[in-house]
Amino acid sequence: MATHIAPSILSADFTRLGDQIAEAEAGGADWIHVDVMDGHFVPNITIGPLVVAAAKRASRLPLDVHLMIENPDRYLGDFIEAGATWLTVHQETCPHLHRTVQKIRELGARPGVAVNPSTPVETLIDILPFIDLVLVMTVNPGFGGQRFIEACLAKVARLSRQLEGRGLQHIAIEVDGGIDPTTAPRAVAAGASVLVAGSAVFGQGSITDNIGAIRRSLAIQV
Ligand code: DX5
Ligand code: ZN
């Protein structure tokens, strides 16, 4: 699939969330990424279903909801009802991952599974046929604005080869953390098809220019 850019609203100005999402949509964003954190699986606490429902009303773009929470099974229904198009759970939080992803699909969303930098993508081999997206964390989850972990590029490349070898190229490979015009083309060269960017989109400067800069960086050979 053509490379998608998914701005993460974690770095948006929450006093103007609707406007910022609308600007991202007009500026060429493909999905809106929503980071849900519970203060248990990750140190930070962020967004719940109420804000997802508000984001849904602000845009027609697919909402890409990234659950960084323990026991996500309890909340799948709430986030899907709130408007999640894609719903991603962490491998590290799901002892019955197959049941969890089946439930996500049954409830009407597209299932994704995320892995932390220390979790090998090889742990996902047996779940791949049941999911539509793998999210490779390129920082440790919990905060925006962290530095891209270089070693994660090799994981993206390994995953990409696994998908090719198994005829599963329809599964999206999403990278999340430290994505900017320097790291984006390298992640795509390794096999990523969805780029999450928080601070590089909603930080300094205009949202439209920032999305444009990431898009233009993809034309550069790395
Ligand atoms: C981190 C979140 C990311 C975060 C990325 O735990 O999953 O989606 O918003 O932020 P940047 O792009 O600033 O690294
Ligand atoms: Zn995220």
Side-chain angles (χ1 to χ4, degrees):
M1 89 183 184
T3 307
H4 281 33
I5 298 179
S8 161
I9 60 169
L10 186 62
S11 297
D13 174 354
F14 276 71
T15 65
R16 301 170 45 239
L17 186 59
D19 291 348
Q20 298 229 310
I21 290 174
E23 188 176 341
E25 179 169 9
D30 299 288
W31 297 352
I32 297 296
H33 185 84
V34 183
D35 287 307
V36 177
M37 306 187 188
D38 67 349
H40 292 277
F41 176 58
V42 291
N44 204 359
I45 302 179
T46 57
I47 287 167
L50 263 179
V51 175
V52 173
K56 187 74 190 167
R57 293 194 296 275
S59 150
R60 283 196 300 236
L61 294 180
L63 287 187
D64 172 35
V65 178
H66 176 194
L67 296 183
M68 287 161 274
I69 63 176
E70 281 178 6
N71 199 359
D73 301 77
R74 282 179 61 183
Y75 298 102
L76 302 176
D78 292 342
F79 283 102
I80 292 168
E81 240 168 74
T85 315
W86 296 81
L87 192 57
T88 296
V89 293
H90 267 261
Q91 186 266 17
E92 300 85 358
T93 62
C94 294
H96 305 290
L97 188 55
H98 179 267
R99 182 182 293 151
T100 304
V101 303
Q102 297 281 90
K103 187 87 196 160
I104 293 172
R105 211 184 278 289
E106 233 174 78
L107 292 171
R110 301 192 64 180
V113 176
V115 283
N116 282 340
S118 61
T119 304
V121 286
E122 285 72 16
T123 60
L124 302 184
I125 293 302
D126 293 303
I127 200 68
L128 290 176
F130 302 95
I131 62 180
D132 294 334
L133 176 148
V134 175
L135 188 164
V136 176
M137 286 303 309
T138 41
V139 299
N140 286 294
F143 301 96
Q146 302 180 79
R147 184 197 287 257
F148 184 79
I149 301 173
E150 292 286 328
C152 297
L153 282 175
K155 284 174 70 173
V156 171
R158 273 185 0 247
L159 174 62
S160 177
R161 281 197 297 274
Q162 284 287 352
L163 295 184
E164 248 178 68
R166 289 160 195 266
L168 294 170
Q169 299 95 319
H170 60 277
I171 299 177
I173 302 180
E174 182 171 43
V175 284
D176 186 1
I179 298 297
D180 61 21
T182 309
T183 53
R186 302 176 62 214
V188 170
S193 48
V194 183
L195 304 170
V196 176
S199 46
V201 169
F202 292 108
Q204 303 293 312
S206 110
I207 293 170
T208 302
D209 291 353
N210 291 342
I211 294 173
I214 295 172
R215 184 83 64 198
R216 281 193 304 280
S217 76
L218 302 181
I220 296 165
Q221 295 292 318
V222 288

